[in-house]
Amino acid sequence: MRMRANRCASWVALFGFFLAVSNGSATSIALRSGWAFVPGAQDLIQTGQWGCTAGLTSTSAALSITAPNSGYSTPINTAGPRLQGNGDFSVIATFSNPATAGSFLTLVGTLSTGSVWWNGLMRLDAGVANNAVLVNYWTGSSANAASHSYPLPDGASDPITLEAARIGGQITVFVNGTQVGSFGDPGLFASGQAYLGFNVAPGETLNVTALAAAMPAGSNVTLYSPGVLLATRTGSALRDLAAPSGLLMGAAADASLLPLTDYSQALGREYGLVVPENDLKFAETEPAPRQFSFCRGDQLLAFAQANGMAMRGHNLVWEAYLPSWLTSGSYTPAQASGILQEHINTVVGHYKGQLVDWDVVNESISDTAPYGLKASYWLTQLGNSYLDMAFQWAHAADPNAKLFYNDYGGEGLGGKADAIYNYVKGMLSRGVPIHGVGLQMHVTPGNVPSQANIAANMARLAALGLEVHVSEMDVKLPVDANGNASAADLAAQAATYQNVFAACQAAPNCTEFLTWGFTDSHSWIPSTYPGNGAALPLDANYQPKPAYAALSGNLRSNSVSRPAIAPHGIVIHGGSVAVISPGSLVDIYGTNLAAEPVTAQGFPLTPSLGGVQVTVNGTAAPLYYVSPGQVDFQIPYSIQAGSALVQVSSKGVAGVAAAISVQPAAPSLLTYVDAAGSTRAVVQNQDYSINSASNCAAKGSYLTVYLIGSGPLDNAIPTGAPAPSSPISNEALTTTATLGSVPATVTFAGMAPGFVGLMQVDLQTPDVSGNVPLQIQVGLYSSNQALVCVGQ
Ligand code: XIL
């Protein structure tokens, strides 16, 4: 029976749904009335660059401080963002595990200026100690703090939210929004700034699950991050020209160079994406066993976020750049596997939700026939399956990051390209979560795959459902002693960039184009290939080269056509039913809706097809067919009845939204009225016969139920379209069923095979008997009820 084969698919969909829902980030903070977040300070766990603060571990969801038994731990974030200004402000922190002996939010107005820790120190600690609110403060002339203690408000328990505020010359402390105490401010923040930190009593651990800064309307307080320069945008740089097409223009960069103004300005001005050239490699992020360091990566991320750039992760598994503690350690294979799993889990987990994609495995396929896996520490220790495992671990740590295999020498067609293609195809067939292939593209004008071969390679990877990125392009040239290349070579270099870039622009699955650096003043080429250099689009003085003009010129001449929905262009698919409801298959008519016709290949239907996405009130809809003039999609079951906005995006370019009216008619059981006048559901028993009062289903047997998601019960089923030959699991439906009010196990829910617009639910009959009402619930919607007979 169909239902057995389908069961798996629907469970996978359900599983995915639960994963998505449980993906919470930091707890959000409610503000007292009249107060607003200091701009950029609504989630300082994510944006606080905590990786640079010793004594504290950070993930994207929490900060954790464990004090040694020998003394207090007081990590203060001096490298990351701090508050600046003389107005009223507050800092609000949620402590999920307030220590019994002492957990404090620490705000430092002035760091210690002398050789003794308290010299000149202006510091406020507000926290919990021994079940009371305790506030300590230092004013720079004594090691001893002045203190105030206040009772905890009624009902305050783990977790608690503490707010330390400067309001009108007073320091005021709130717990869970209730004021607990206030005293005159001795000028703790007269410096005009406040560094953020914590203080934890000996032997205790504090987890901070939310952190934000706020201010009353009109207060003059800002969040300031040293090293996070805001680049001046021109509106006509590479990132701006590429934005309408959705293609991300990116470059590799080093956090240590961000203090160079020219460097930061060019990076933030030109690129919408940054990849750390070295800052996230294994030896950087785990320099000693289980000692993780995210300082540099966090700085780059803070720069990227401030400048509206995405960030790519590079890389998790590579034969190179491994720390010697690992390669010269004597670890067993099982230990090495544990080390890699913990490394991936920790590094990817630290950046969860913040990086768009990761190069999970770098350069692991050999350069020569038979193109097997390269000899490496990981191959020796973990064996052939290390790639699969690495992708699985990375996916578990950040289910939303796109995961890439990244390599050189396989960008066009040929032995190595075939080997990479076959390898990733194998990964897909094994169910490994891989989303794309990075084509590094370290080339020269004389040794670069042809545009046609790059296009062919991109196309065959697209046919596997994979994205591609040109991930590390540079074009090295012979240079003189001053690092200068000839004009002829610079022209050839421009042509090389242009051809590769044109291949990417033309490929719907090529979504990122990155160069390995961006200025000739900072590039790995001169030191790695002596006598060569000048490989990047900007020269050593940050001036555009012919290569830059080629990229920019291509972007200007390939302006993208915006999808447009025709007037009255949204209609129910192929049928007599005029009503659009959750679950309906709907057609959009218009122009520029897609680059070319594509019909969904596999199931479940995905929200992206041929570079097209459709949203209904912002929710991605499953797509069945796209073409320049027509797009067929399904109204998600989560859409509420009422007016809804439908928007089409093609290759990242969004069209103008159109309004439709969604009726709350779905799902509706198909029914018939029998000779006795009873309304009965059209249901197939396990032997394919129609269930009736005289043809009951056996208890525990399987039933197939039909519903429409598109209108009143008695209308004809909308057909007439080319129907898919296999079931369409439309989306992650939470579909449940009851028979005689007893829950029945649903084994499949999706579009019925062969009938576009008809929904099928397979279920197992529970322990009921007689003519009992059947009811199906899909997402928010309950069906009508109709009778089904279950054997006595
Ligand atoms: C290179 C960096 O550019 C150098 O600074 C570093 O010394 C070595 O690594 N392929 C890759 C990159 O995937 O990580 C390499 O980066 C260049 C080749």
Side-chain angles (χ1 to χ4, degrees):
M1 264 181 100
R2 285 193 290 264
M3 62 185 75
R4 307 265 152 64
N6 296 336
R7 205 181 311 169
C8 196
S10 73
W11 281 112
V12 169
L14 277 176
F15 185 61
F17 174 78
F18 285 121
L19 269 182
V21 168
S22 63
N23 248 343
S25 63
T27 319
S28 58
I29 281 182
L31 295 180
R32 287 176 297 102
S33 94
W35 284 56
F37 290 115
V38 172
Q42 57 270 41
D43 185 357
L44 288 166
I45 288 187
Q46 292 225 17
T47 59
Q49 301 174 59
W50 291 98
C52 299
T53 305
L56 173 150
T57 55
S58 60
T59 67
S60 54
L63 307 176
S64 172
I65 304 106
T66 297
N69 289 330
S70 55
Y72 278 80
S73 182
T74 315
I76 307 294
N77 192 349
T78 51
R82 55 190 188 244
L83 296 170
Q84 210 154 272
N86 290 308
D88 289 350
F89 71 91
S90 75
V91 177
I92 311 160
T94 301
F95 290 2
S96 80
N97 176 23
T100 51
S103 289
F104 303 91
L105 169 65
T106 296
L107 303 178
V108 177
T110 307
L111 296 162
S112 161
T113 47
S115 52
V116 182
W117 69 270
W118 48 264
N119 271 357
L121 177 71
M122 300 294 268
R123 163 176 157 192
L124 173 71
D125 277 20
V128 199
N130 302 316
N131 287 317
V133 177
L134 180 60
V135 182
N136 294 321
Y137 61 95
W138 289 258
T139 50
S141 51
S142 162
N144 297 324
S147 295
H148 294 281
S149 179
Y150 310 109
L152 274 169
D154 287 348
S157 63
D158 182 17
I160 69 158
T161 296
L162 263 166
E163 179 175 5
R166 172 174 70 185
I167 307 174
Q170 294 282 116
I171 299 292
T172 304
V173 178
F174 302 82
V175 170
N176 297 344
T178 304
Q179 181 174 331
V180 296
S182 190
F183 59 92
D185 176 12
L188 291 172
F189 307 102
S191 64
Q193 51 190 13
Y195 295 95
L196 308 177
F198 303 94
N199 187 24
V200 177
E204 311 247 359
T205 292
L206 167 67
N207 293 313
V208 182
T209 54
L211 183 67
M215 60 185 183
S219 183
N220 179 24
V221 174
T222 56
L223 189 68
Y224 166 73
S225 296
V228 179
L229 165 148
L230 281 185
T232 307
R233 301 286 300 276
T234 60
S236 57
L238 298 177
R239 63 183 291 184
D240 307 303
L241 297 175
S245 70
L247 174 61
L248 276 174
M249 301 296 288
D254 275 334
S256 64
L257 299 174
L258 291 175
L260 302 176
T261 309
D262 286 351
Y263 184 90
S264 289
Q265 282 288 1
L267 179 64
R269 180 187 69 231
E270 296 294 337
Y271 298 98
L273 171 73
V274 67
V275 60
E277 182 164 344
N278 294 303
D279 292 333
L280 290 182
K281 289 174 180 172
F282 201 119
E284 298 289 338
T285 49
E286 196 173 351
R290 315 192 77 178
Q291 302 289 306
F292 291 90
S293 166
F294 300 109
C295 182
R296 290 279 168 80
D298 284 7
Q299 285 173 334
L300 215 43
L301 181 63
F303 177 86
Q305 289 177 338
N307 285 285
M309 304 163 73
M311 184 156 131
R312 173 184 182 86
H314 175 86
N315 57 54
L316 298 168
V317 185
W318 190 22
E319 62 178 311
Y321 235 102
L322 293 173
S324 60
W325 65 261
L326 179 69
T327 48
S328 348
S330 43
Y331 295 105
T332 64
Q335 286 169 330
S337 172
I339 288 168
L340 184 60
Q341 180 171 10
E342 183 182 38
H343 181 84
I344 291 176
N345 187 41
T346 307
V347 176
V348 177
H350 178 82
Y351 291 107
K352 180 179 176 182
Q354 302 189 79
L355 303 192
V356 280
D357 29 48
W358 270 103
D359 286 329
V360 177
V361 177
N362 204 36
E363 305 180 354
S364 72
I365 290 175
S366 301
D367 300 335
T368 49
Y371 304 103
L373 293 180
K374 231 178 231 176
S376 77
Y377 179 81
W378 300 118
L379 182 65
T380 309
Q381 287 281 41
L382 276 69
N384 286 328
S385 60
Y386 80 88
L387 293 91
D388 288 11
M389 289 192 284
F391 277 83
Q392 255 134 15
W393 292 331
H395 183 65
D398 187 353
N400 293 322
K402 289 191 177 166
L403 306 182
F404 278 69
Y405 174 77
N406 189 48
D407 211 335
Y408 61 86
E411 293 91 348
L413 298 177
K416 184 162 176 180
D418 291 349
I420 294 170
Y421 171 81
N422 286 327
Y423 201 92
V424 297
K425 190 175 175 186
M427 288 174 106
L428 289 169
S429 72
R430 294 190 292 277
V432 175
I434 177 171
H435 308 106
V437 174
L439 310 174
Q440 289 188 6
M441 212 70 73
H442 296 289
V443 297
T444 66
N447 186 12
V448 57
S450 71
Q451 188 178 331
N453 284 359
I454 296 170
N457 196 25
M458 289 177 170
R460 67 175 168 172
L461 290 164
L464 296 180
L466 292 175
E467 287 184 28
V468 293
H469 296 159
V470 173
S471 58
E472 303 186 7
M473 183 156 180
D474 51 21
V475 182
K476 62 176 179 286
L477 301 175
V479 290
D480 63 20
N482 297 322
N484 293 320
S486 72
D489 281 347
L490 290 172
Q493 177 183 60
T496 305
Y497 270 107
Q498 183 156 27
N499 288 344
V500 173
F501 188 53
C504 173
Q505 278 185 298
N509 64 326
C510 187
T511 49
E512 296 179 6
F513 180 90
L514 297 108
T515 51
W516 205 239
F518 50 98
T519 164
D520 290 338
S521 64
H522 300 283
S523 158
W524 72 308
I525 294 295
S527 58
T528 316
Y529 303 95
N532 291 274
L536 293 161
L538 298 180
D539 72 14
N541 296 315
Y542 299 93
Q543 296 306 307
K545 293 161 63 182
Y548 179 96
L551 297 175
S552 168
N554 261 32
L555 286 168
R556 286 174 198 275
S557 59
N558 281 310
S559 58
V560 189
S561 310
R562 215 159 268 287
I565 299 173
H568 314 291
I570 305 182
V571 296
I572 191 88
H573 181 89
S576 56
V577 182
V579 180
I580 294 177
S581 297
S584 299
L585 194 72
V586 168
D587 298 352
I588 299 172
Y589 292 92
T591 50
N592 299 321
L593 298 176
E596 54 190 356
V598 187
T599 304
Q601 290 290 315
F603 305 102
L605 293 185
T606 55
S608 186
L609 185 64
V612 175
Q613 287 92 34
V614 172
T615 59
V616 183
N617 283 347
T619 298
L623 300 179
Y624 172 57
Y625 171 73
V626 303
S627 70
Q630 184 181 342
V631 166
D632 298 358
F633 73 102
Q634 191 184 23
I635 305 284
Y637 279 92
S638 59
I639 297 302
Q640 305 269 4
S643 177
L645 284 177
V646 175
Q647 189 172 35
V648 181
S649 303
S650 177
K651 291 209 77 181
V653 182
V656 177
I660 56 168
S661 171
V662 177
Q663 307 293 319
S668 297
L669 285 172
L670 296 190
T671 59
Y672 67 101
V673 179
D674 69 7
S678 307
T679 300
R680 312 192 63 90
V682 177
V683 162
Q684 246 178 18
N685 288 340
Q686 188 161 343
D687 64 1
Y688 300 104
S689 62
I690 296 293
N691 187 288
S692 68
S694 57
N695 186 29
C696 303
K699 270 183 208 170
S701 69
Y702 290 91
L703 299 180
T704 300
V705 177
Y706 295 102
L707 307 96
I708 50 174
S710 52
L713 269 186
D714 293 324
N715 277 337
I717 303 158
T719 55
S725 53
S726 23
I728 304 173
S729 240
N730 347 12
E731 58 173 339
L733 304 173
T734 36
T735 300
T736 56
T738 55
L739 259 175
S741 302
V742 177
T745 304
V746 172
T747 56
F748 170 78
M751 265 196 218
F755 298 97
V756 171
L758 184 64
M759 180 173 175
Q760 176 179 329
V761 172
D762 294 343
L763 53 85
Q764 189 175 20
T765 52
D767 189 7
V768 292
S769 51
N771 289 300
V772 289
L774 167 68
Q775 188 169 36
I776 306 286
Q777 170 109 13
V778 182
L780 301 171
Y781 297 97
S782 291
S783 74
N784 52 323
Q785 296 191 1
L787 295 179
V788 167
C789 182
V790 182
Q792 315 280 338

